[in-house]
Amino acid sequence: MEWKPNRHSHLTIHQQIVNWIKQRIQSGEWPIHTKLPTQRKLAEAMGVNRSTIVNAIEELVADGILSTRVGDGTYVSNNSWNVLIKDIHPDWEKHISSSIYEPNFQTIQLINEYEQRENIIRLGTGELSPDLLPTAVLQRSLQNVPLTARDIGYSEPKGSRQLRHALSRYATKRGIHATPDSIMIVSGALQALQLISLGLLEPGSTVFQEAPSYLNSVRPFQSAGMRIVSLDKENRDNRLPDQIISMKGKKQSLFYTVPTLHNPTGSIMSLDERRELLQICAYQQIPIIEDDVYHGLAFGKTPPSLKSLDSDGQVLYIGSMSKTLSPGLRIGWVIGPEPVIDRLADIKMQTDYGSSAFSQQIARHWLESGLYEEHIDQLREQLKRRADFVEEILQLRYNSIATWNKPAGGFYIWLRLHEPLVNKALFLKLLKQNVLINPGYIYDAKDFYHIRLSYAYASFEQLETGLNILYEAIAEGTS
Ligand SMILES: Cc1ncc(COP(=O)(O)O)c(C=O)c1O
């Protein structure tokens, strides 16, 4: 035995001896029931006092790794492996439960899991149906996607310059005048929200949101320790400006909104409401995040974007190709004041070195060639047909149990039941019948009246079957 403790180590002699003995057992050199050398021999070989050996052995006996038999020395105990395995393997449960990122709500975890299963009717999915994705055109267009060696290297912090030029031109159609330097590419709108929470806020900052809100279903701000304040737009006694003033904390605040084709309600904020929001936020120095991922899918004319009405650089605008072209491309963008965009781009570089170069080149080609807008024009028509189809079913069957607004575009109908029946039990009951819904409580924890119906994903046949099953399940709950 040649090993000796290292007197210059940062570990104590005692700890080194304990570790050394454990190491002999773990490596199999000392299997279970091995008799250890005597304490005297160990002390001599290691050049330490016998009492140091006694203490180390006592610790290992107390842990159940060694056992002593009176008058017969020390042995590797039966249980040593069980104890050592716990010692070797990290306590993942503890790591998971103590980390800063919050887990998804269980209902959302179930939605994410069941969405991938065969034979499930997805009545709430916020995604284009496979029939609506332009797969064949996209495939053909790949041949014309320009690729140079430079394009497929790491891109600039703000993303491909050509794509930002194309987006700058595209944004003018939305009334937004932004130079390529004030635009950055992100891996989907959700990443924009994450970067904003990391780069522009400190824990304890206030994030205002509308109730109900998409943010409750993804929680990028909640996980970063922000204070989330839900505002009730319908409250006539306590108007929005008063709610903002009374709830604004001492730290920074942000206002997150989806003013055009809101998720989950599908509503569109009027021009007056937009002006009022800009005014009150300007007065309170609260930046606004305008999440505009659905605007291209409006069936009629919509009011101008908040960003186009913004003369003071108070709005951060977020767009995405997920709802129009392909969620798998993971291409979104943020438009805002240059110092803010520089800051977000710096964080993005620290996070992932930029979004996929291939996706950026595809997005650029689709914008520059006109394919993107051509596709959206057709998509809008198809979504309108789907919306009419679902509304017809609702008119036929749901009038006595629910109310809803005529969809103005996008994917969703915010169905309100007359009774508060939309709870976890209803969700699970439908799941047993292979029908997946997005219950209102994932967008507002107190809401048991609403279901977010999506006419974008399921086939016509599935929509009809699913809505019939849903109707029966609700009717059973009311009788
Ligand atoms: C309002 C809103 N913002 C952002 C996103 C996320 O979009 P992306 O796929 O671009 O990250 C969604 C997707 O459901 C959404 O509905």
Side-chain angles (χ1 to χ4, degrees):
M1 203 182 73
E2 290 180 358
W3 181 82
K4 285 191 174 30
N6 175 357
R7 296 199 179 263
H8 305 294
S9 161
H10 67 283
L11 293 177
T12 62
I13 303 281
H14 168 88
Q15 195 55 55
Q16 291 181 60
I17 295 172
V18 167
N19 289 351
W20 183 80
I21 295 176
K22 281 183 180 173
Q23 186 59 41
R24 302 280 75 65
I25 300 171
Q26 277 164 7
S27 66
E29 265 177 64
W30 289 358
I32 291 171
H33 302 312
T34 300
K35 186 175 181 186
L36 268 63
T38 62
Q39 294 169 353
R40 188 177 49 77
K41 273 197 183 153
L42 285 170
E44 273 172 18
M46 293 182 191
V48 298
N49 287 333
R50 192 159 158 206
S51 62
T52 310
I53 300 291
V54 171
N55 287 340
I57 288 177
E58 270 175 7
E59 179 178 324
L60 291 164
V61 169
D63 286 347
I65 294 170
L66 298 177
S67 54
T68 47
R69 295 182 202 155
V70 184
D72 191 23
T74 309
Y75 290 81
V76 177
S77 85
N78 279 339
N79 198 30
S80 59
W81 264 95
N82 289 341
V83 179
L84 285 171
I85 276 174
K86 276 199 201 121
D87 221 35
I88 305 164
H89 290 281
D91 186 347
W92 286 118
E93 274 311 314
K94 196 159 168 220
H95 282 272
I96 290 167
S97 60
S98 60
S99 79
I100 42 172
Y101 225 90
E102 301 215 4
N104 255 327
F105 291 125
Q106 207 220 351
T107 299
I108 299 176
Q109 288 176 343
L110 285 170
I111 292 174
N112 291 339
E113 182 190 333
Y114 276 78
E115 276 185 347
Q116 302 309 325
R117 300 205 177 175
E118 298 275 323
N119 304 328
I120 198 100
I121 298 181
R122 294 161 61 169
L123 282 188
T125 298
E127 191 181 326
L128 290 173
S129 136
D131 304 345
L132 297 178
L133 293 173
T135 319
V137 187
L138 188 54
Q139 172 88 58
R140 278 198 301 277
S141 74
L142 292 182
Q143 292 186 342
N144 301 320
V145 171
L147 271 189
T148 63
R150 199 184 160 85
D151 294 327
I152 57 167
Y154 288 122
S155 61
E156 290 180 47
K158 292 180 194 172
S160 148
R161 183 157 281 275
Q162 297 101 323
L163 174 55
R164 287 186 285 123
H165 270 285
L167 283 169
S168 165
R169 284 191 294 275
Y170 182 65
T172 54
K173 298 185 182 163
R174 187 91 177 107
I176 300 169
H177 299 285
T179 61
D181 286 333
S182 57
I183 301 176
M184 76 175 281
I185 313 300
V186 283
S187 302
L190 186 53
Q191 188 183 44
L193 299 177
Q194 264 150 355
L195 294 175
I196 291 167
S197 83
L198 292 171
L200 301 181
L201 294 169
E202 59 181 316
S205 303
T206 303
V207 176
F208 290 108
Q209 63 175 14
E210 296 136 335
S213 176
Y214 163 71
L215 276 192
N216 286 334
S217 67
V218 281
R219 307 202 281 168
F221 294 106
Q222 287 87 331
S223 286
M226 310 303 158
R227 182 175 152 252
I228 307 295
V229 176
S230 296
L231 301 174
D232 182 359
K233 279 168 56 181
E234 310 299 322
N235 191 337
R236 284 169 198 282
D237 303 329
N238 194 2
R239 293 175 54 253
L240 211 58
D242 301 329
Q243 292 180 52
I244 293 176
I245 293 165
S246 68
M247 299 299 284
K248 190 172 175 275
K250 289 206 166 50
K251 296 188 174 172
Q252 305 98 304
S253 310
L254 275 182
F255 194 109
Y256 169 82
T257 177
V258 187
T260 308
L261 299 170
H262 182 266
N263 179 6
T265 64
S267 66
I268 297 181
M269 199 187 275
S270 70
L271 182 56
D272 284 348
E273 284 175 309
R274 287 172 198 240
R275 290 216 164 101
E276 184 183 54
L277 181 63
L278 281 163
Q279 204 176 13
I280 170 72
C281 286
Y283 186 61
Q284 293 294 323
Q285 291 193 309
I286 300 174
I288 298 173
I289 305 174
E290 178 178 26
D291 185 337
D292 204 27
V293 299
Y294 293 100
H295 93 266
L297 304 176
F299 299 152
K301 217 171 145 27
T302 56
S305 68
L306 289 170
K307 183 74 191 153
S308 68
L309 301 170
D310 166 32
S311 49
D312 311 315
Q314 76 180 105
V315 178
L316 280 183
Y317 176 92
I318 301 178
S320 168
M321 289 194 171
S322 290
K323 306 298 170 182
T324 46
L325 177 56
S326 149
L329 273 185
R330 307 309 299 136
I331 289 293
W333 53 95
V334 190
I335 302 178
E338 228 180 291
V340 176
I341 295 298
D342 287 345
R343 164 77 173 146
L344 298 181
D346 182 49
I347 297 178
K348 178 153 165 75
M349 283 312 261
Q350 295 178 55
T351 314
D352 66 2
Y353 284 143
S355 300
S356 153
F358 292 109
S359 293
Q360 293 190 64
Q361 287 307 99
I362 293 170
R364 171 194 161 192
H365 175 63
W366 273 63
L367 282 167
E368 285 177 348
S369 63
L371 275 175
Y372 185 61
E373 284 169 85
E374 222 172 87
H375 161 68
I376 294 184
D377 287 345
Q378 289 168 16
L379 179 61
R380 227 181 282 118
E381 275 171 31
Q382 307 221 42
L383 284 170
K384 177 84 175 77
R385 274 183 47 222
R386 286 168 159 267
D388 290 346
F389 179 76
V390 166
E391 249 217 293
E392 215 170 285
I393 299 173
L394 295 181
Q395 291 289 5
L396 274 176
R397 292 210 76 174
Y398 280 69
N399 259 325
S400 59
I401 57 163
T403 54
W404 63 92
N405 285 331
K406 192 169 181 55
F411 293 180
Y412 310 120
I413 294 179
W414 190 229
L415 188 72
R416 186 185 194 281
L417 305 194
H418 295 330
E419 292 179 44
L421 297 170
V422 189
N423 49 28
K424 184 94 175 271
L426 178 72
F427 172 81
L428 294 173
K429 181 174 164 179
L430 287 162
L431 211 50
K432 277 203 186 129
Q433 298 177 75
N434 284 336
V435 173
L436 194 54
I437 59 162
N438 281 37
Y441 62 80
I442 62 180
Y443 306 102
D444 177 355
K446 300 184 299 297
D447 183 352
F448 297 106
Y449 281 95
H450 286 95
I451 296 172
R452 185 187 83 174
L453 291 179
S454 163
Y455 44 80
Y457 191 83
S459 66
F460 284 83
E461 196 186 342
Q462 285 180 327
L463 284 168
E464 185 167 8
T465 313
L467 284 169
N468 285 337
I469 295 173
L470 175 62
Y471 175 84
E472 299 300 336
I474 297 168
E476 276 168 32
T478 41
S479 54

